[in-house]
Amino acid sequence: MSTTASDPLAALGSLPGVPDAVDSVRKAVDRVYGHRVMRRRSNEVTAEAALRGSRGSAALAGADWNLEEVRRRTDFSGEDEARMVGAALRLTAEAGQLLSIWRQSPLRVLARLHLVAAGGATPDDAVGRPRLAGESVDELLIEAPLPGAEEVAGRLEGLSRLIIAGGSAPALVTAAVVHGELLALRPFGSHNGLVARTAERIVLIGSGLDPKSICPAEVGHAEQGRAAYVAAFEGYTAGTPEGMAAWITHCGRSVELGVRESTAVCEALQRGAA
C-alpha cells in the first residue's frame, strides 16, 4: 500500500479512478439527502435502509433471504441462516450507538460488534476478542490466507491508530480500508464479514458522509454479487495500487447502489406506496 508518513490513507485517495469514485459517491449521497421526503420522513428512510442493509450483509454471508421474509420474521433462532440474518439485524441496530466510542477506541467497538453478532453462538471465552494462535475461523466467503494471531494484533493496533488520528482521506477511502483490513485479518473466530461491513457503515456515518445512515453499502455489495465482492477484495489483499483502487471503487459503487435503493424508498413514500 502506497502511503504518506503524515497521513497514511491520504495517498490512496489519489489512486487512478479513486477521485472520480469519491466525487460520484458524494454527488449521489447529496442527491438523496436533498429528496423532499427526507425533510419530513427521514426516520422511515433510515429504518428501511437498516433493514435492507442487514439483508444485504446477511446475503453475502450465505443467508440470501427475500426482503419480505426478513421483514416478516420475528424469530431468528434455529437454523444457521436465520441466526446469520438475526446477527446482521442486531449489528445494524448497534452501529449507530457506537459512533462516539469508535473515534476513541475502535478496538473496543470491534469487540462489541463481535459480541453482538455472536449472540451466544460461540464459546464465551472466544467472543469479543481477537483469535489466539491456533484458533480456527469460520468464514465461508473469504478464502484468502489467514494471518497469524500476532500479525492480527499488530495490524489491528495500527488500524486503530489510523482511525483515532483521523486525517484528510475521504470517508469512502477510510471506510473501504477498514472494511478490507478486517476482511483480510478475520480477527474473530466467526462473523468477520458482518463485522467488517458494519464497521464500514460506522465510518460512513461517523465521517458525516451519511449521518442519517440512509445509504446502505451492504445493499450494493450484495447487488454486485459475491463473486465481484471476492474479486475486488483480492485486489485489496494484493496491495498493488491497481488492486487497492479496484477495491475502493467497488466500495464506492456499493454506496451508490445503496443510495439508489434509498432513493426508491423515498419515491415510494412520496407516492404513499410504503
Side-chain angles (χ1 to χ4, degrees), residues 1 3 29 79 118 195 203 249:
M1 182 189 303
T3 62
V29 171
E79 70 270 25
V195 168
V203 174
T249 55

Side-chain angles (χ1 to χ4, degrees), residues 17-33 170-173 175-176 200 204 207-210 215 217 248-260:
V18 173
D20 289 341
V22 169
D23 185 56
S24 183
V25 165
R26 167 52 69 187
K27 288 178 178 176
V29 171
D30 286 347
R31 282 194 299 271
V32 71
Y33 269 84
L172 172 64
V173 172
E200 178 185 48
L204 294 173
S207 67
L209 178 65
D210 181 22
C215 307
I248 294 167
T249 55
H250 177 89
C251 291
R253 179 58 180 158
S254 295
V255 175
E256 290 188 68
L257 290 170
V259 168
R260 187 176 72 179

Side-chain angles (χ1 to χ4, degrees), residues 36-261:
R36 61 189 304 177
V37 165
M38 288 296 296
R39 294 197 295 270
R40 308 184 310 276
R41 304 178 70 177
S42 64
N43 287 344
E44 294 172 70
V45 181
T46 295
E48 189 65 19
L51 184 72
R52 297 181 185 215
S54 299
R55 192 218 72 83
S57 192
L60 285 172
D64 192 0
W65 284 19
N66 181 279
L67 180 63
E68 293 311 312
E69 174 65 12
V70 178
R71 196 190 306 280
R72 179 192 67 80
R73 194 77 170 255
T74 57
D75 180 8
F76 294 96
S77 61
E79 70 270 25
D80 289 346
E81 286 194 6
R83 290 200 299 271
M84 189 66 70
V85 174
L89 288 166
R90 291 193 301 273
L91 284 172
T92 301
E94 189 78 6
Q97 311 302 315
L98 299 172
L99 295 175
S100 61
I101 303 172
W102 175 261
R103 299 183 187 102
Q104 300 170 9
S105 181
L107 299 186
R108 185 176 157 199
V109 169
L110 294 175
R112 172 63 184 169
L113 292 177
H114 186 245
L115 180 67
V116 168
T122 56
D124 289 347
D125 65 351
V127 173
R129 64 155 173 79
R131 54 187 168 82
L132 303 177
E135 291 184 337
S136 61
V137 172
D138 179 13
E139 200 72 43
L140 296 177
L141 182 59
I142 303 302
E143 298 180 352
L146 194 65
E150 186 174 346
E151 180 181 350
V152 168
R155 287 171 63 176
L156 280 177
E157 185 59 38
L159 183 64
S160 177
R161 288 196 298 269
L162 286 177
I163 294 166
I164 293 169
S168 61
L172 172 64
V173 172
T174 303
V177 168
V178 167
H179 184 171
E181 190 70 354
L182 292 174
L183 280 185
L185 295 178
R186 281 147 289 162
F188 303 109
S190 63
H191 300 93
N192 290 288
L194 293 181
V195 168
R197 291 184 287 276
T198 304
E200 178 185 48
R201 173 183 284 266
I202 289 173
V203 174
L204 294 173
I205 299 169
S207 67
L209 178 65
D210 181 22
K212 293 183 182 294
S213 192
I214 62 166
C215 307
E218 304 97 322
V219 167
H221 288 304
E223 186 171 332
Q224 293 184 85
R226 298 177 81 186
Y229 184 73
V230 171
F233 170 66
E234 288 173 352
Y236 180 88
T237 58
T240 63
E242 297 79 9
M244 293 297 295
W247 172 246
I248 294 167
T249 55
H250 177 89
C251 291
R253 179 58 180 158
S254 295
V255 175
E256 290 188 68
L257 290 170
V259 168
R260 187 176 72 179
E261 190 88 352

